[in-house]
Amino acid sequence: MKLPSFRDYDAPARKLPYGWDFFFEGKRLRPTFKTKTEKVDYKKAFLERWTANRDALASFDPAKWQRFLELERRAGGMDSLETAVVMATRAGANSGVRFSVMMRQRVEDLVRAGGVNRKRVDLLCGRFVAALGDRVLSDYQPYEIQAWVDELAASPEHGYYSTRNHLKAVSAAFNLAIARRELITSPAAHIKLPSRRGEKRTVLWSPEQLQCFLRYLWRREPARASVYALIFFTGLRVSMVAPNPEKRAKSEFLRPDMIDLKNRTIVIPEGIMKSEQALVIDEGLAPANLWPWLKHLKKARIPEPSQTFNYRRTQLCQTLGMEWSDNVHRRSCASYYAALHGKDMAANLLGNTGEMIARHYKVASFRKDAASYFEILPPG
């Protein structure tokens, strides 16, 4: 079986401008796509399937195939055979291992990899054990875990992100048990978190809110005000200035040497941002009011631990009577910037695409409000 030869089939004027042209099994195929990413993903998936099929043919054993057909016949069909396999596997996997044992193994793996500290995982999984008990892994039921997650979400001490992090830590322990053949399926696999999509697309901070927020900080913690101005006027994700332990271990965050205040330029190399593309923010792209706010940035702690940043942010918002919703700084920057300069320019600033800006960040905002947003300056 010969590997197909892919040729570019791009046409900018076409509704789906990107495409491939190749022959496969005697037929000419010309799949087309809306984005370059879809085009690349298609070829990658095709080649993976082709390689798998080739390897399967090379290793095909007729004797094993005949044996499988005989087992299927004796079992009374494929459904009965699958049921028998699942029952046998479950019987073998119910090893009696308790959650605390798997939790310790998970922590040890992560500590060796340098991705997370022991205290954090012990804390999150410890709360799970305190609520539902340290039981054999197969004894936990999805409805119990869902009830625990719902209770966390409703608690004033644990918001959406705290609840998500608890579930993530617990799910990782169950998934490790599956990988080590101690469990067949995870009881935490289909647990639902409270949705935040409704507020995600609508909530922005007004220019008046942001001015109050930044000027309050400027008078008390000017270095921290510089950090917040940086993310509110460029749309950089919080993780770029306050990475979680995993991102910190991978060096996926903004470093002081990437910021040239003298020449008013920020250069983020590829592989650091979520898009993995390089990003250059200079005077021609950044709003003019950004640079005065960065006066004290050199004194700021960049990067700052995510837990510290989030704790201080919560205290600050409570003091000012303001609410911080998910990515409110990024939505505000993108929406107001797009209102003034168009979605493509906003995409350049945020390291995104115009399509993504229109889909996720474009909300109703007037040019007057947008202009006021980028006229906010430090006091004095």
Side-chain angles (χ1 to χ4, degrees), residues 175-189:
N175 291 338
L176 179 61
I178 293 172
R180 298 188 177 179
R181 300 180 181 274
E182 304 287 355
L183 194 64
I184 298 300
T185 58
S186 170

Side-chain angles (χ1 to χ4, degrees), residues 23 87 89 98 106 131 185 231 250 269 273 289 342-343 363:
F23 283 90
M87 292 178 64
T89 309
R98 293 184 176 274
R106 170 65 177 165
T185 58
I231 64 174
K250 297 177 183 178
M273 304 220 359
N289 71 327
K343 62 182 182 182
V363 297

Side-chain angles (χ1 to χ4, degrees), residues 43-64:
K43 182 179 179 182
K44 181 179 178 182
F46 184 96
L47 294 180
E48 287 176 351
R49 290 195 302 271
W50 184 89
T51 303
N53 292 336
R54 180 201 61 187
D55 295 344
L57 286 173
S59 60
F60 179 70
D61 186 338
K64 284 186 177 180

